């Protein structure tokens, strides 16, 4: 579903991503862990073209977004982006739109389906994330956990093949974290392909099929949750997990 080859990215002359290489298979959940500033979020944002890379290749569902450091045509990139759903640290909901309208805006603009079908899907997804009774509420009336669940439902509206989560619980109070993680666990159980940047080690251990540890802009180690958490091989991985 995803193949990243030798990706490099610099900011102001400093190399932020150093020859990043990994794959994600269909129905797989991959957790990206590592200290703040290690390049995890930059990598994720590069996958949805919110950041441009300097060199390397990104393939999504067999199509290239970037090949040998050269991006595809704009329409090609837009087609690839439609296969991706992204959930950010901060919810980015439109404050002037109700919950339902936040969900329906993008698929209507993209003419993804009939208005009736889009409306039905928004209702189904809000029920799925436990917010069927808040369809006509405005974001200001929701808790942080509710807003993030709306953001997840909104990303699912476009029927993505791959869901990306950039520390989706980091802006939440601890008591609200569980309700968001439970929705993500349900998606994983339904075999949604997911890449999750997270500091929630218990979630990564329980839900991920594979863990990738990043530090200082490079992938230091990867393996199954048991391999990474029970028997890490790299000293940097060991030091990070000890701190966590």
């Amino acid at each position: 579903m995803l193949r990243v080859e030798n990706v490099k990215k610099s900011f102001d002359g400093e190399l932020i991503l150093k020859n990043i290489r990994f794959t994600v298979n269909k129905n797989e959940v991959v957790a990206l862990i590592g200290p703040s500033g290690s390049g995890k979020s930059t990598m994720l944002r590069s996958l949805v073209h919110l950041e441009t890379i300097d060199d390397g290749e990104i393939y999504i569902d067999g199509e290239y977004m970037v090949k040998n450091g050269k991006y595809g045509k704009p329409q090609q990139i837009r087609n690839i982006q439609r296969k991706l759903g992204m959930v950010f640290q901060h919810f980015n909901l439109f404050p002037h739109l109700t919950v339902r309208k936040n969900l329906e805006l993008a698929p209507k603009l993209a003419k993804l389906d009939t208005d009736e079908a889009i409306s039905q899907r928004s209702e189904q997804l809000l029920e799925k994330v436990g917010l069927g009774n808040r369809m006509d509420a405005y974001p200001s009336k929701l808790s942080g956990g509710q807003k993030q669940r709306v953001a997840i439902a909104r990303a699912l509206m476009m029927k993505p093949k791959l869901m990306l989560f950039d520390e989706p619980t980091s802006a939440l109070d601890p008591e609200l974290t569980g309700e968001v993680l439970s929705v993500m666990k349900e998606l994983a159980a339904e075999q949604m392909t997911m890449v999750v940047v997270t500091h929630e080690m218990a979630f990564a251990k329980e839900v991920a099929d594979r863990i990738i540890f990043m530090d200082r802009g490079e992938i230091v180690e990867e393996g199954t949750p048991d391999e990474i958490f029970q028997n890490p091989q790299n000293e940097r991985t060991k030091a990070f997990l000890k701190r966590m």
Side-chain angles (χ1 to χ4, degrees), residues 63-92:
E63 294 183 80
Y64 79 89
M65 179 186 288
V66 197
K67 194 173 183 179
N68 297 322
K70 306 290 185 186
Y71 278 85
K73 294 178 180 178
Q75 186 59 50
Q76 181 182 342
I77 292 174
R78 281 194 293 272
N79 290 340
I80 290 172
Q81 285 177 306
R82 287 187 181 182
K83 298 180 180 184
L84 306 173
M86 179 93 175
V87 178
F88 300 87
Q89 294 178 31
H90 301 286
F91 328 113
N92 297 326

Side-chain angles (χ1 to χ4, degrees), residues 1-2 59-64 83:
M1 185 59 70
L2 171 67
Y59 289 82
I60 294 163
D61 196 25
E63 294 183 80
Y64 79 89
K83 298 180 180 184

Side-chain angles (χ1 to χ4, degrees), residues 166-233:
D166 187 9
E167 297 190 31
T169 60
S170 65
L172 301 178
D173 294 331
E175 65 268 23
L176 299 177
T177 295
E179 63 189 55
V180 174
L181 293 181
S182 67
V183 172
M184 295 171 64
K185 287 176 184 177
E186 186 180 338
L187 290 176
E190 294 169 357
Q191 297 202 302
M192 169 64 77
T193 311
M194 298 160 61
V195 179
V196 185
V197 171
T198 184
H199 282 114
E200 300 287 341
M201 295 299 111
F203 171 82
K205 189 174 184 180
E206 179 185 350
V207 177
D209 299 298
R210 196 151 40 92
I211 308 287
I212 294 175
F213 172 67
M214 287 184 66
D215 189 22
R216 301 173 202 163
E218 59 187 353
I219 291 176
V220 176
E221 189 168 353
E222 68 175 289
T224 66
D226 280 350
E227 288 168 341
I228 297 298
F229 289 112
Q230 303 301 328
N231 190 30
Q233 300 299 301

